[in-house]
């Protein structure tokens, strides 16, 4: 079997593989109604929230789009805090739907500086909402969301969070941190295939929704909420992914969220220690903000990361990720989220030790 070490989709446990191969059922029948209620309730435990939680059939980006179009109107000012490719995507969605985006970008590898967020909010009093990526998958950096949230809430703004590569892996207590809209996707921390996005919505966000005028149809969350109240989704959901999620959520709750978070802390540390022991360095400028779900490694000392990733994949069946956009060819990334054990990362590091010199490492 391949050691799929990209930051989602992740490998699937046998129990989930079995569950997703089940025969179809009526998605408007009593059995699915029960599954939908059950997974919604269990997801709320992992989001650590009492807010409404809705399932959408789409990838994580669909959840991000839902997070924008349901709470804003064209012309609304939003502060976009971006530390990488996914932060920029969040801003682009808002822009596409007519928001006036105030960009606050930090260099790739840096975490967002909370004090700069405060200054931007002081300088832009008309801002309605703040967009933040909790864990930036393109750079392997986790923002200090607890501190950023306190600042955003001291200005009484809506806080919309992309938690796609953190929820269910890195602690993200939605209610304790006053996250108005938290978004994630099934293929990252939840050990199921791509196909579902999960979005939590606070009472303040629903108030904004009542006045929000951006156009929406498939991702209309008010419609999704009224369907859920009847035990359904407005459109045909990804039934098989829901089967898988029902099983994976039981596995996650059995392990326990604090244990899951601790496992990701341990594995993140092991990945970083391993990378450094090879003589490579992290893209995360300050290791205190290095991500526990994905490690981004700078290709230094002559290393061609595309070549090393190719050898890893073809000869050792270990699949790593490359860099995105301006980081292409400059970094490689090791995914360690969801269904992952320390042993998986040890294998990656041991194999890199053999492969890196064959891909130029040490030649410059
Ligand atoms: C994966 C990811 C996305 C995009 O999700 P898709 O499921 O590919 O649409 C967005 N944000 C972050 C932080 C991610 O890790």
């Amino acid at each position: 079997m391949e050691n799929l070490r990209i930051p989602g989709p992740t490998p699937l446990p046998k129990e989930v593989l079995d569950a997703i191969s089940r025969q179809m059922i009526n998605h408007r029948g009593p059995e699915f109604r029960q599954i939908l209620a059950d997974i919604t309730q269990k997801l709320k435990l992992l989001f650590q929230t009492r807010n409404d939680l809705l399932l959408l059939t789409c990838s994580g980006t669909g959840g991000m789009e839902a997070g924008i179009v349901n709470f804003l109107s064209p012309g609304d000012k939003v502060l976009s805090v971006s530390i990488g490719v996914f932060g920029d995507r969040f801003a682009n969605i808002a822009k596409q739907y007519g928001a006036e985006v105030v960009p606050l970008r930090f260099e790739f590898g840096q975490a967002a500086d909370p004090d700069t967020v405060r200054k931007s909010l002081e300088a832009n009093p008309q801002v309605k909402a703040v967009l933040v990526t909790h864990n930036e998958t393109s750079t392997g950096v986790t923002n200090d969301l607890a501190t950023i949230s306190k600042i955003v809430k001291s200005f009484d703004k809506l806080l919309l969070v992309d938690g796609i590569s953190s929820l269910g892996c890195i602690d993200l207590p939605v209610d304790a941190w006053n996250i108005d809209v938290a978004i994630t996707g099934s293929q990252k921390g939840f050990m199921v295939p791509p196909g579902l996005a999960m979005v939590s919505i606070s009472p303040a966000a629903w108030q904004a929704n009542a006045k929000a005028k951006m156009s929406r149809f498939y991702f209309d969350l008010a419609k999704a909420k009224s369907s859920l109240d009847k035990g359904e989704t407005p459109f045909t959901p990804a039934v098989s992914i829901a089967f898988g999620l029902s099983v994976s959520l039981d596995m996650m709750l059995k392990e326990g969220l604090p244990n899951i978070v601790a496992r990701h802390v341990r594995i993140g540390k092991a990945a970083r220690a391993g990378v450094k022991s090879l003589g490579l360095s992290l893209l995360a400028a300050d290791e205190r903000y290095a991500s526990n779900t994905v490690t981004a490694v700078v290709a230094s000392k002559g290393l061609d990361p595309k070549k090393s990733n190719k050898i890893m994949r073809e000869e050792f069946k270990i699949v790593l990720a490359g860099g995105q956009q301006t980081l292409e060819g400059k970094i490689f990334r090791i995914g360690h989220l969801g269904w992952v054990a320390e042993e998986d990362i040890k294998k990656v590091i041991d194999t890199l030790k053999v492969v890196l010199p064959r891909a130029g490492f040490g030649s410059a």
Side-chain angles (χ1 to χ4, degrees):
M1 197 179 77
E2 262 180 0
N3 189 357
L4 183 62
R5 298 271 55 102
I6 62 173
T10 70
L12 308 179
K14 172 80 167 60
E15 296 90 322
V16 172
L17 282 172
D18 290 345
I20 62 174
S21 65
R22 266 192 65 185
Q23 186 56 272
M24 277 302 102
I25 58 172
N26 177 9
H27 66 292
R28 304 210 183 279
E31 191 186 0
F32 192 77
R33 196 165 286 135
Q34 181 56 46
I35 291 173
L36 185 60
D38 179 60
I39 56 186
T40 302
Q41 148 68 17
K42 284 172 180 158
L43 279 167
K44 285 186 189 184
L45 298 175
L46 295 174
F47 275 59
Q48 303 176 67
T49 190
R50 300 169 113 162
N51 288 341
D52 285 320
L53 192 144
L54 297 169
L55 286 176
L56 302 169
T57 289
C58 56
S59 78
T61 305
M64 294 163 79
E65 184 160 326
I68 298 286
V69 301
N70 283 279
F71 308 104
L72 295 166
S73 300
D76 279 352
K77 234 183 191 183
V78 297
L79 178 68
S80 147
V81 180
S82 175
I83 62 168
V85 170
F86 292 109
D88 288 350
R89 182 180 296 178
F90 216 1
N92 284 336
I93 297 169
K95 220 179 281 171
Q96 184 71 34
Y97 280 96
E100 194 190 319
V101 174
V102 180
L104 177 58
R105 295 179 89 233
F106 295 87
E107 213 176 298
F108 285 12
Q110 305 273 356
D113 171 41
D115 215 46
T116 311
V117 174
R118 181 199 311 278
K119 287 186 185 120
S120 300
L121 285 169
E122 277 163 3
N124 293 281
Q126 305 92 342
V127 159
K128 274 213 159 151
V130 180
L131 315 181
V132 182
T133 319
H134 183 205
N135 183 76
E136 179 50 75
T137 317
S138 66
T139 61
V141 173
T142 308
N143 275 319
D144 177 2
L145 187 57
T147 303
I148 293 171
S149 163
K150 276 197 197 112
I151 290 165
V152 171
K153 286 297 152 186
S154 75
F155 287 86
D156 202 22
K157 309 297 184 191
L158 275 187
L159 179 55
L160 314 180
V161 172
D162 170 354
I164 296 179
S165 61
S166 57
L167 261 159
C169 309
I170 297 171
D171 197 32
L172 174 41
V174 166
D175 288 359
W177 290 357
N178 290 301
I179 312 297
D180 292 298
V181 177
I183 303 149
T184 192
S186 54
Q187 80 276 23
K188 305 277 171 120
F190 294 88
M191 308 186 290
V192 285
L196 286 176
M198 306 81 140
V199 183
S200 69
I201 301 121
S202 72
W206 281 126
Q207 280 176 15
N209 171 258
K211 294 185 213 131
K213 296 209 164 47
M214 279 186 183
S215 64
R216 64 192 91 107
F217 185 87
Y218 186 68
F219 292 131
D220 187 331
L221 294 178
K223 210 157 59 187
K225 168 76 171 95
S226 66
S227 286
L228 183 64
D229 291 341
K230 290 177 266 164
E232 294 182 8
T233 54
F235 316 111
T236 313
V239 173
S240 301
I241 313 299
F243 288 156
L245 196 54
S246 175
V247 168
S248 72
L249 290 173
D250 284 341
M251 293 172 71
M252 291 176 82
L253 292 171
K254 190 169 170 219
E255 183 177 359
L257 186 57
N259 294 327
I260 296 174
V261 169
R263 173 164 56 86
H264 284 86
V265 169
R266 239 175 14 246
I267 291 175
K269 268 189 197 152
R272 295 190 290 277
V275 159
K276 287 188 288 183
S277 76
L278 297 170
L280 285 164
S281 54
L282 308 170
L283 180 62
D286 180 340
E287 206 175 320
R288 286 175 303 167
Y289 300 104
S291 166
N292 289 324
T293 57
V294 55
T295 295
V297 185
V298 178
S300 55
K301 303 176 189 166
L303 174 66
D304 174 354
K306 287 187 175 178
K307 190 166 178 190
S308 53
N309 278 5
K310 185 169 189 280
I311 301 172
M312 292 288 281
R313 180 179 74 244
E314 289 179 352
E315 292 183 31
F316 300 94
K317 290 190 193 270
I318 294 175
V319 182
L320 303 178
Q324 295 161 282
Q325 297 183 5
T326 56
L327 292 170
E328 193 187 339
K330 297 200 175 123
I331 63 166
F332 68 89
R333 292 174 299 150
I334 308 167
H336 36 83
L337 73 172
W339 199 43
V340 58
E342 267 150 310
E343 191 55 29
D344 300 314
I345 298 307
K346 187 176 182 312
K347 272 184 211 148
V348 172
I349 301 297
D350 290 349
T351 313
L352 279 171
K353 191 166 190 167
V354 182
V355 167
L356 292 176
R358 290 174 55 196
F361 185 58
S363 66

